[in-house]
Amino acid sequence: MSIRKVNKDHLPELASGVRLVEQAKPAWIESNDPLRFWTIHRTTPCVVDLTPFRDGDTSAKSLRSGKGFRGRPVLIGQLAPAIKELYIASPATGVVQIRSALRTWWRIFDQIESEMPSNSGVATVNQIEDLTDVHRQIAMDRGVHRAAYGYFVRAVELSRRAHGLGPLHWIGPEVQPVLRHLASFEQIRPIRDSLKREWYGALDRWELFDQLTSGAVPGNENEKNLQENYLYYVERMRITGKGCPRGAELRSGRSSTYFYSRRLSVDTMTRGRYPDSVSIRAAFHLCLVTTGWNPGTFLALDANGTFIEPHPRDPSRYILTGYKERSKSYQVTEGLLKTQRSAGVIIVTIVERTKPLRKELESRLIEKRTELSNLVRNSASRHLLDKKQAEIVDLEGGIRSPWLYVAEQGITWLRGDTYQSVGKDRYLDRHVASINDGRAPSEWIPRIKATDFRDAFAAYAFKESGGMILYVMRVLGHRSLTSTQRYLDNTLLNDSAAKVFRCFANSLWAEIQQFGRLDPTLIARCAIDGHVSDHERSRLDEYRGLRRSRLGIGCKDPTRPPRHVAPGFQVDGRKLCATHRCTLCLENAVIFPESLEGLAMRKAELMHLKLELPVSTFIETSFDEELSNTNAALRAFDTHRVEVAVQSWVRRIESGAHRVIQFEDLG
């Protein structure tokens, strides 16, 4: 049975037909409690419950672990309006950080009050007026994290202004430089290949499911058993009307013994039809390693919205766009629709594959909204209302997520706190361990996190662009050079830069000592590759000694131009080629960096001739071929410089400052 013939007919259709679907905003049931409110984040709204900071956390378990703290009702009451105003639009991850910051400061206050003598003059912190520079200094001495400091102090300052108090003028912790140890792209490559194999394995499994459920004849006993499982699963999906029937719905009233006696397996059925916990993470991490995007950008993609569209100039390519929440900016990448490991194709394939799962989640969402309405009608408690609203928000996130899969507990999806792990194990650790198993210890790949892929991608882009920071900034989607520089400040590039400097310095003095000269070309070659061979030196001298045409192009043999370039030329060993149509002379032409101006001049001349000569005359000559070859040669230079040079020569020709030479041989 053929493998790797996945039907991709849906890809262009989906890429061109994706439309933005306006998400229905839930009717939030606001609380009258000033210490409880819902955020209004567009994708991950959540409840902010500040009551623990009023009541305290003094349970025995919390106190034993050092996480307990006493309540400060007046202080949190003063801070609550400021916290709501500052963080009402925060995502769920931000709310976690805010609560963590408050817990940190509450514990610091407890420690200060328990350790300070009663006559120290440091007041107990019951309200914002009690905060002094002493509390700030003790917090700094205890190493309060910069984030915890910032969240708390911003709320305090806003609250003090609201109460007519002056600012604290506290100075926060300095940003500590972090030395980032980054794996090279050569070390990332085997991980990428391992992810590809896992992804292709999932594609093969799904293709086999489609074939066996479409009437294909099993090729062996194993495929026969798979077909029985797959057909049974499809039938139960049809009868139950669910995309992912589970448990009793699959057994259809029969006992587990009967079910398994027929060699039916729930895991076999679901893995054949849908992504599982392993394959979905393989797909997700493969997207990260091939694009350099942030994990959060991929997690925030809306499966029901516009995230992929056809390339405007090439129907075989697509453009994938994601929104980076933290910087409020867009990240863009492109790829080929025919490449199965391309990020856009991976996502579209998964979205198409998981349509029945998304439909089932939509049915659950309708049920949950009905339940919420009933709770409101029956005047349910605030706790029950918040719990039901949280379930609705969670389901809405699942419906939007492209990363749906089937796990032991049923339909689920990748989240910010789950995409890196499978059970208790880190997903990438398994790949690294498998690769290192066949290597010597000196060649082992270090432990890799998903976020390291973006760093490695930045280093790769920096190297391939010849050290262009602006290029790295563009491919990473950064809005400022400062962000890009932080990505490039890592051990990999620092060591590489140090190596280049050493090679440059050694080459510089070696050239002076051995040849008594400074040749920039040879020094640059040594700095990049470490050495210059004698053959390369002789070739450089040979090319530099070549006679140049009026285009600034070197000629290997100006006394013997090819017949197709100069048909009427008589070879006598002394006469030189006067045609100067060098881009037609593939046999003898040598293009140098300084040839740009001459090539731009010739392109402008050919464009002028194309306008001046009759169409039939221009086509009959070799001018058209020469123009094509000239354009090809100019592609080796910077696009902007080429455009400026060509336009400059066009203006000279139009003004009469430069006359286009009419050659005797038109070819």
Side-chain angles (χ1 to χ4, degrees), residues 292-339:
W293 280 17
N294 299 90
T297 306
F298 274 118
L299 291 171
L301 287 177
D302 188 348
N304 303 309
T306 303
F307 61 88
I308 187 170
E309 56 188 0
H311 195 283
R313 292 179 295 180
D314 186 353
S316 67
R317 289 187 290 162
Y318 66 83
I319 294 178
L320 180 66
T321 305
Y323 184 70
K324 187 179 178 183
E325 183 73 36
R326 187 170 59 183
S327 63
K328 302 295 186 286
S329 61
Y330 290 93
Q331 291 185 280
V332 181
T333 188
E334 61 180 68
L336 291 171
L337 284 167
K338 66 178 182 180
T339 305

Side-chain angles (χ1 to χ4, degrees), residues 337-357:
L337 284 167
K338 66 178 182 180
T339 305
Q340 295 176 11
R341 65 178 180 274
S342 177
V345 175
I346 288 174
I347 297 171
V348 171
T349 301
I350 293 174
V351 169
E352 182 72 16
R353 194 78 194 174
T354 56
K355 274 185 177 179
L357 302 182

Side-chain angles (χ1 to χ4, degrees), residues 93-275:
T93 52
V95 171
V96 171
Q97 293 177 317
I98 295 163
R99 288 171 56 86
S100 176
L102 291 175
R103 283 194 295 269
T104 297
W105 280 92
W106 256 238
R107 291 177 194 133
I108 288 175
F109 296 149
D110 287 349
Q111 292 169 0
I112 293 174
E113 292 159 11
S114 65
E115 296 172 3
M116 284 287 185
S118 57
N119 60 354
S120 64
V122 179
T124 299
V125 180
N126 291 320
Q127 53 190 352
I128 56 176
E129 291 90 336
D130 298 328
L131 292 171
T132 66
D133 287 340
V134 173
H135 297 98
R136 179 258 176 198
Q137 187 59 51
I138 293 176
M140 296 287 287
D141 293 342
R142 296 178 187 274
V144 65
H145 192 274
R146 184 177 175 83
Y149 177 91
Y151 280 121
F152 178 72
V153 173
R154 278 194 292 271
V156 169
E157 294 287 17
L158 183 58
S159 182
R160 288 178 68 89
R161 284 202 300 271
H163 286 79
L165 301 173
L168 290 174
H169 298 297
W170 284 5
I171 299 175
E174 296 181 359
V175 178
Q176 297 297 324
V178 179
L179 184 61
R180 291 144 55 112
H181 295 272
L182 181 62
S184 67
F185 197 77
E186 286 68 28
Q187 293 176 313
I188 297 293
R189 186 176 287 111
I191 300 176
R192 181 199 62 185
D193 294 341
S194 179
L195 294 169
K196 280 164 49 180
R197 288 191 294 272
E198 208 152 76
W199 169 243
Y200 284 142
L203 292 179
D204 294 341
R205 192 166 62 247
W206 299 338
E207 178 192 11
L208 186 59
F209 180 98
D210 295 340
Q211 291 174 345
L212 293 177
T213 55
S214 300
V217 178
N220 51 51
E221 188 63 27
N222 181 55
E223 289 187 358
K224 183 178 179 181
N225 176 246
L226 289 175
Q227 187 176 51
E228 292 176 0
N229 275 270
Y230 295 163
L231 290 175
Y232 183 88
Y233 193 66
V234 170
E235 179 65 12
R236 297 311 302 167
M237 288 173 62
R238 184 187 65 80
I239 293 174
T240 61
K242 292 189 174 182
C244 181
R246 306 288 293 178
E249 296 170 337
L250 274 177
R251 291 195 296 271
S252 184
R254 297 184 176 90
S255 66
S256 299
T257 303
Y258 174 84
F259 187 76
Y260 294 116
S261 66
R262 293 182 54 189
R263 293 198 302 169
L264 298 176
S265 166
V266 176
D267 184 59
T268 298
M269 296 176 190
T270 55
R271 290 183 75 246
R273 179 62 182 86
Y274 299 118

Side-chain angles (χ1 to χ4, degrees), residues 43-99:
T43 57
T44 58
C46 64
V47 67
V48 179
D49 184 5
L50 301 177
T51 55
F53 304 100
R54 177 194 64 194
D55 304 332
D57 183 2
T58 56
S59 64
K61 181 178 180 181
S62 296
L63 293 176
R64 280 197 305 270
S65 63
K67 296 181 179 179
F69 52 84
R70 76 175 184 86
R72 300 173 190 271
V74 177
L75 179 60
I76 195 61
Q78 292 175 319
L79 293 177
I83 291 172
K84 183 174 182 179
E85 182 173 339
L86 287 170
Y87 307 117
I88 186 66
S90 294
T93 52
V95 171
V96 171
Q97 293 177 317
I98 295 163
R99 288 171 56 86

